[in-house]
Every structure is written in C-alpha cells, then in structure tokens.
Amino acid sequence: RNFIYVEEIDSTNSFLLDRKNGVNESGTVVLAEKQTKGRGRKDRVWYSSKEQNLTFSILLYKEFKLFEHLNLINFSASLAVANSIENLYQLRTELKWPNDVLINKKKICGILLESSSQGNKIDRVVVGIGVNVNQSMFQGQFNYPPTSIRIEFGREVEREKLLAEILNNFEFYLNKISTESNYITREWKEKCRMIGEKIYVKEGDIIKNGIFDDIDNEGFLLLRTKDGIEKITIGDVSIV
Ligand code: BTN
C-alpha cells in the first residue's frame, strides 16, 4: 500500500483532505511523528508528543458504496484499534460512542473522520487516528481523561507492530461493511459498556438526557427519553 511518512506536518487529516497534494490512491496512509495543528472532534486540539504516539490518517477515495455508511467506517476504525490493543497487550478496551477507545475509563485513542465532496458527492473520506502509545504526560484539550498503552500495560511498546495490526484489522472490518454489516454493530455493542446506562448527550449548548437504549444498523445512537426513542447522529456522550 501507499505509505507516506513525515517528521512534521500540520495535520495528517488536512494533508489527505487537500486535493492539491494529489494523493488519490485509496488506502494511502500518512503517518506523522508530530503534528503542529492536530485536530480532534468538535474543534478540539489533538496534541501528539514526538515519537511516543501513533498519529496517522487513512484515505478512502471514491469508495462510494462505503461512503453510504460513514458511521460504520467510524466503528470499523474503533474496533480495529480496540482489538489490536487487546490482542497485542491483553488489555481490556471499551468503546464510547461514536468513536473513542477507552481503557479503564480513560481515553487511549481518538478518531476523526472527515470527508470532502466534489460537486455534491463525497469522493474522499479521511480516517484520522491518534493512539496514545508510549506517553506518560499529556497536553491538549480532552473530552475525557487520557491514558496511554505504556501506562496501562506497564512498559513501552513497539509502535510499528501496533500500526500494522491496526491497518490489517481496519481492512478486515471495512470489508464487513458491504458483506455483513451487522457483524460490526454486534461487535461494537459488545465492547460498548454503556448500553442500558443513564447518559447525557451534549451537542453545542444542547444537552439531552436518557437511557442509552441501543445503536441502529447504521451505528446511530438510540436514546430513550421520556418522549420515546430518539435517534442521535452527533454529540458527546457521558454517563450521568
Ligand atoms: C478526538 O478524539 O477528538 C479525535 C482525535 C483525532 C486525532 C487524529 S491524529 C491523526 C489525525 N490528524 C488530525 O489532525 N487528527 C487525527
């Protein structure tokens, strides 16, 4: 596969989204040691300390069938990271809707999916993944307290091995989107330990309270409120 390695960049997501860079091969991975303008969800800053993390983005180009299921692409990335960490280091992970990976209730990985359209059709989806690997200190803005594999596992780990495992697993799950998409939602639900819990979902100034009832086939959150089931497509989820 096409692999681009850079020491420093503004943001690996921005790089792959920018058509001027001429990268048009689906599956291309850009990995950076350091980002100067790393972005998280909701305009948060994502800080990557040099050589201690995995900071990379994967380009999906003109995969129109997949682009009908953006949330399942999100889930595929989260599952790929979670399973890779479980397999390599025997750590128990947990998924938080829509796409955080947690260990011991702390965030080990953030995922930012962004798309770009030509005309009014999405032709480019970039999946940005930041994994806290060997850090012991954290900077930046957090929606959740951070941790790293090193902290949870007790020693430094090899980033190359983890990256290879994540990329393989991601491909595996992406294939499932067209062949057996309920495989993804089923696995995702098994790893999301919030179902049935009282939660609130915050999007901008709006806060919605309810019970995390389920997720639907497309990976949207179904919130049980006093008025019935509401489908949530965006927001930050927290346990009450
Ligand atoms: C979040 O939890 O808010 C998502 C964080 C996503 C960070 C990754 S690091 C690689 C890619 N490039 C970016 O600028 N952001 C994503």
Side-chain angles (χ1 to χ4, degrees):
R1 73 161 83 228
N2 192 7
F3 193 94
I4 302 170
Y5 174 88
V6 287
E7 278 291 333
E8 191 176 305
I9 200 168
D10 52 353
S11 149
T12 54
N13 265 33
S14 305
F15 178 83
L16 284 177
L17 280 171
D18 187 350
R19 290 164 200 279
K20 287 196 294 294
N21 292 322
V23 182
N24 290 329
E25 192 184 320
S26 203
T28 297
V29 175
V30 178
L31 180 114
E33 287 299 352
K34 191 180 168 199
Q35 292 185 128
T36 51
K37 279 192 183 152
R39 291 181 287 113
R41 289 176 62 239
K42 316 247 168 147
D43 296 324
R44 282 183 288 249
V45 174
W46 182 265
Y47 181 84
S48 327
S49 39
K50 217 171 172 182
E51 286 169 21
Q52 295 190 323
N53 55 292
L54 274 178
T55 302
F56 63 103
S57 300
I58 306 161
L59 173 69
L60 301 174
Y61 185 62
K62 294 197 172 170
E63 310 258 8
F64 297 116
K65 273 267 159 274
L66 282 182
F67 297 168
E68 292 166 18
H69 312 284
L70 292 182
N71 238 21
L72 296 183
I73 299 178
N74 255 328
F75 278 17
S76 298
S78 323
L79 279 168
V81 172
N83 282 329
S84 301
I85 293 174
E86 294 205 348
N87 294 341
L88 290 173
Y89 319 115
Q90 288 77 47
L91 292 166
R92 183 179 141 110
T93 60
E94 186 177 330
L95 300 178
K96 186 164 115 34
W97 193 89
N99 51 13
D100 290 338
V101 182
L102 312 178
I103 297 182
N104 290 328
K105 307 279 173 212
K106 296 190 190 114
K107 181 154 157 172
I108 196 91
C109 167
I111 293 169
L112 178 66
L113 187 142
E114 294 179 293
S115 63
S116 152
S117 304
Q118 188 90 285
N120 51 19
K121 194 170 178 184
I122 293 179
D123 68 341
R124 197 175 265 274
V125 167
V126 174
V127 184
I129 302 181
V131 189
N132 299 330
V133 184
N134 288 324
Q135 293 99 311
S136 43
M137 304 254 283
F138 300 92
Q139 259 178 279
Q141 294 168 295
F142 310 113
N143 60 334
Y144 236 70
T147 189
S148 69
I149 293 177
R150 176 185 171 167
I151 292 172
E152 301 298 327
F153 188 54
R155 57 184 159 90
E156 288 212 4
V157 305
E158 212 186 302
R159 291 182 304 158
E160 293 74 10
K161 209 165 149 182
L162 177 59
L163 175 66
E165 185 84 9
I166 293 173
L167 294 175
N168 280 338
N169 278 322
F170 184 53
E171 212 170 297
F172 170 85
Y173 285 108
L174 278 189
N175 284 327
K176 290 280 184 205
I177 293 181
S178 43
T179 57
E180 196 190 350
S181 66
N182 58 7
Y183 181 94
I184 298 176
T185 45
R186 201 167 57 227
E187 272 212 19
W188 193 90
K189 277 201 273 191
E190 270 168 30
K191 283 205 152 50
C192 168
R193 328 238 188 238
M194 281 191 187
I195 293 177
E197 303 271 346
K198 256 190 181 165
I199 58 167
Y200 63 91
V201 186
K202 189 170 180 299
E203 170 55 16
D205 292 334
I206 300 172
I207 294 183
K208 291 173 180 164
N209 279 283
I211 305 242
F212 193 149
D213 191 72
D214 204 350
I215 50 164
D216 73 4
N217 294 337
E218 280 304 324
F220 295 118
L221 190 160
L222 301 175
L223 185 72
R224 182 191 299 276
T225 69
K226 54 181 187 340
D227 307 317
I229 298 279
E230 186 176 340
K231 180 162 118 178
I232 307 285
T233 56
I234 189 169
D236 273 331
V237 172
S238 305
I239 299 246
V240 173

